[in-house]
Amino acid sequence: MIKIRYFARLREHLGTADEQMALTPEIRDLAALTEQLRRRGGVWSEAFGGEQSVMMAVNEEVADAAQPLRDGDEVAYFPPVTGG
Amino acid sequence: MIKIRYFARLREHLGTADEQMALTPEIRDLAALTEQLRRRGGVWSEAFGGEQSVMMAVNEEVADAAQPLRDGDEVAYFPPVTGG
Amino acid sequence: MRRSIRIQAEAFDPLEVAGDLHRDNPGVGAVVSFLGLMRDLNQGRRVLSMTLEHYPGMAEKALRRIVEEAAERWPLQAVSVVHRVGELRPQDPIVLVMVASSHRGDAFRACEFIIDFLKTRAPFWKKEQTEQGEHWVEARSNDLASELRWRARDDR
Amino acid sequence: MRRSIRIQAEAFDPLEVAGDLHRDNPGVGAVVSFLGLMRDLNQGRRVLSMTLEHYPGMAEKALRRIVEEAAERWPLQAVSVVHRVGELRPQDPIVLVMVASSHRGDAFRACEFIIDFLKTRAPFWKKEQTEQGEHWVEARSNDLASELRWRARDDR
């Protein structure tokens, strides 16, 4: 299982803050996971369709699409940050 | 008359904080005044002999040797500043 | 180097943080601080209040990493970062970055480095409440440019 | 732009000065401050105390001019400069420069500009008391170099 968290505008748009997902062999990296989420359609294809930029983190570190995923990982999706 | 003020190391070296001086026609600018002070000899020629750099001000504004002098001016001599 | 990193919903007093930084540290000659405050106007819109969301855990980690990177680049004696989350009103302090060093150049450079990277790397998001409703603040390309400056130059 | 320039023998609390700068000024988004503190060690010598002499009248005038020059270069909302004179002990605040602006880049630039010029233009002189006796502090060529930087670049 992996945990997926969504923040800020993305969380509101998807209507969910986090979810658990079984890690299948196809979901070997962030690119594959993101594609799987996009295929859910509706707000998911809007959020991950590339119109708005989305940042990703794995285990609290910023990561890119090539980042491999392992069981127990915490993945996060969020918009560009605006703190400070 | 002009007023001449000395600050910091220069004040201590010369043993005086300020003096009044009659403005003669020869003392037309700061260069001439400085030369006159230097000619007093002793600590005066040490202080204005060029070994240590001396800054000058007229009426509370930094000035250079070419600065003309007028009756009533306040002249100041001091070492490079070290505040802050 | 002393480090203090705090993320909190409670208001903070910049004045107290400052006092803690150089007290009992007589080698400190320069303290440079940046205080970011909530403005009542953003891009022409009057802002009534603001909500700051963050990613707990990752936000602290990101700030720690930015502070470590600054400490590797410049000789620093103490760094303190405090960042608010939750509800804010105009004039409320949002973030305080305070850097103590022996010399002022290092303190200026490190302080600006930390806030520049915080703006592009630390997972915080602002939502503004205005008279026309609420909206998420968009990331500014200016902020990215500020971060990129540090890669192009070597200020050590 | 609000201006406050103070030269005083009394100790000042940097924390109070900070509060005055942005209070009731909701357009201020960034406050950058520089605090210069007396160190207990200078060029390898242990310093017990320090005496700061100044040229009354000219010192205020020089600081006002530097602040005006900063305000011409960058859009600023408030500037405060406080400089001690007289007897100081290690860890005592010597000078505080605080700049408020809408945006952080302008505040950083203006604050460093003011302290850089203060160091080379404002008529203050430090005398240190050490265990080996007392001596006047020499001007640092570093400080002149810091001032000259501002002529070579345009940071507006």
Side-chain angles (χ1 to χ4, degrees):
Chain A
M1 299 289 280
I2 57 171
K3 183 176 183 181
I4 313 179
R5 305 181 66 168
Y6 307 98
F7 289 95
R9 189 176 50 218
L10 208 59
R11 172 178 52 69
E12 289 187 346
H13 188 62
L14 299 174
T16 182
D18 56 78
E19 62 178 299
Q20 303 280 337
M21 185 187 279
L23 195 65
T24 62
E26 300 83 63
I27 308 177
R28 72 194 52 152
D29 57 20
L30 270 181
L33 176 63
T34 308
E35 177 56 18
Q36 178 133 335
L37 294 172
R38 194 187 61 77
R39 286 209 200 126
R40 289 174 173 176
V43 292
W44 297 88
S45 62
E46 284 164 25
F48 296 102
E51 288 250 326
Q52 291 197 303
S53 78
V54 173
M55 291 178 73
M56 299 174 290
V58 173
N59 300 327
E60 303 183 345
E61 303 278 354
V62 168
D64 61 22
Q67 172 81 29
L69 293 177
R70 284 184 192 79
D71 207 46
D73 278 351
E74 176 172 305
V75 175
Y77 290 96
F78 46 81
V81 305
T82 55
Chain B
M1 299 289 279
I2 57 170
K3 182 176 185 180
I4 314 180
R5 305 181 67 168
Y6 308 98
F7 289 95
R9 187 177 52 220
L10 208 61
R11 174 178 51 70
E12 289 188 346
H13 188 64
L14 298 173
T16 182
D18 56 78
E19 62 178 298
Q20 302 280 339
M21 186 187 279
L23 194 65
T24 64
E26 300 83 62
I27 310 177
R28 69 194 57 154
D29 57 22
L30 268 181
L33 175 63
T34 308
E35 176 56 18
Q36 178 134 332
L37 294 171
R38 194 187 61 77
R39 287 209 199 126
R40 289 172 173 177
V43 292
W44 297 89
S45 62
E46 285 164 25
F48 296 101
E51 290 249 325
Q52 291 196 303
S53 76
V54 173
M55 290 177 75
M56 300 173 290
V58 173
N59 301 329
E60 303 184 344
E61 303 277 357
V62 169
D64 61 23
Q67 172 81 30
L69 292 177
R70 283 183 191 80
D71 207 45
D73 278 351
E74 174 172 303
V75 175
Y77 290 97
F78 47 81
V81 304
T82 56
Chain C
M1 190 191 72
R2 296 189 203 176
R3 294 156 178 77
S4 160
I5 291 168
R6 285 158 47 196
I7 297 174
Q8 59 186 49
E10 299 72 43
F12 63 89
D13 186 349
L15 317 183
E16 281 176 25
V17 179
D20 292 339
L21 201 66
H22 61 268
R23 200 171 292 143
D24 307 323
N25 203 353
V28 170
V31 177
V32 171
S33 68
F34 168 79
L35 176 64
L37 298 155
M38 186 185 155
R39 292 190 294 151
D40 64 352
L41 208 69
N42 192 16
Q43 299 177 321
R45 279 182 292 218
R46 188 148 299 277
V47 185
L48 306 173
S49 64
M50 178 182 275
T51 311
L52 256 154
E53 179 174 335
H54 77 306
Y55 181 174
M58 181 173 170
E60 288 82 352
K61 199 184 269 191
L63 294 181
R64 269 201 303 278
R65 176 160 300 179
I66 294 165
V67 168
E68 292 313 313
E69 207 173 317
E72 280 165 26
R73 284 190 177 220
W74 298 280
L76 306 179
Q77 292 185 288
V79 175
S80 179
V81 179
V82 189
H83 202 298
R84 283 287 299 283
V85 292
E87 298 297 315
L88 279 85
R89 302 264 155 205
Q91 298 190 59
D92 276 355
I94 300 171
V95 61
L96 177 67
V97 178
M98 208 170 259
V99 174
S101 183
S102 296
H103 302 292
R104 73 183 186 281
D106 295 332
F108 269 108
R109 235 51 72 227
C111 185
E112 194 169 12
F113 175 92
I114 291 169
I115 185 62
D116 281 352
F117 277 77
L118 186 156
K119 290 257 182 190
T120 56
R121 302 268 187 98
F124 294 91
W125 301 274
K126 285 174 182 155
K127 187 188 225 176
E128 289 177 347
Q129 286 84 37
T130 71
E131 284 165 355
Q132 292 79 42
E134 60 175 26
H135 61 268
W136 291 97
V137 173
E138 295 289 327
R140 295 169 62 221
S141 56
N142 268 0
D143 286 330
L144 196 59
S146 293
E147 188 210 293
L148 290 173
R149 270 190 318 147
W150 294 102
R151 303 185 194 206
R153 70 192 207 189
D154 185 348
D155 275 283
R156 257 160 276 207
Chain D
M1 190 190 72
R2 296 187 202 178
R3 298 155 176 77
S4 160
I5 290 167
R6 284 157 48 194
I7 298 173
Q8 58 185 51
E10 300 72 43
F12 63 88
D13 187 348
L15 317 184
E16 281 176 26
V17 179
D20 291 338
L21 201 63
H22 61 268
R23 199 171 293 143
D24 306 323
N25 203 352
V28 171
V31 177
V32 171
S33 67
F34 169 79
L35 176 65
L37 298 155
M38 186 184 155
R39 290 191 296 152
D40 63 352
L41 208 70
N42 191 15
Q43 297 177 324
R45 281 183 291 218
R46 189 149 295 278
V47 186
L48 307 174
S49 63
M50 179 183 274
T51 311
L52 255 155
E53 180 173 334
H54 77 304
Y55 180 173
M58 181 174 169
E60 287 83 351
K61 199 183 269 192
L63 293 181
R64 267 200 305 276
R65 177 161 299 183
I66 294 165
V67 169
E68 292 312 313
E69 208 172 318
E72 280 166 25
R73 285 191 177 222
W74 299 279
L76 307 179
Q77 291 185 289
V79 175
S80 179
V81 180
V82 190
H83 202 298
R84 284 285 299 282
V85 293
E87 299 296 316
L88 279 84
R89 303 266 156 202
Q91 299 191 59
D92 276 356
I94 300 171
V95 62
L96 177 67
V97 178
M98 207 169 261
V99 175
S101 183
S102 295
H103 301 291
R104 73 183 187 281
D106 295 332
F108 269 108
R109 234 52 72 227
C111 185
E112 194 168 13
F113 174 92
I114 291 169
I115 185 63
D116 281 352
F117 276 78
L118 186 157
K119 291 257 181 190
T120 57
R121 301 271 186 95
F124 294 92
W125 303 274
K126 285 174 182 157
K127 188 188 224 177
E128 289 178 346
Q129 287 83 39
T130 72
E131 283 164 354
Q132 293 81 43
E134 61 174 26
H135 61 269
W136 290 97
V137 173
E138 296 289 328
R140 296 168 63 219
S141 55
N142 269 1
D143 286 330
L144 197 58
S146 293
E147 187 210 291
L148 290 173
R149 270 190 318 147
W150 294 101
R151 303 185 194 208
R153 71 193 205 188
D154 185 347
D155 276 281
R156 258 161 277 203

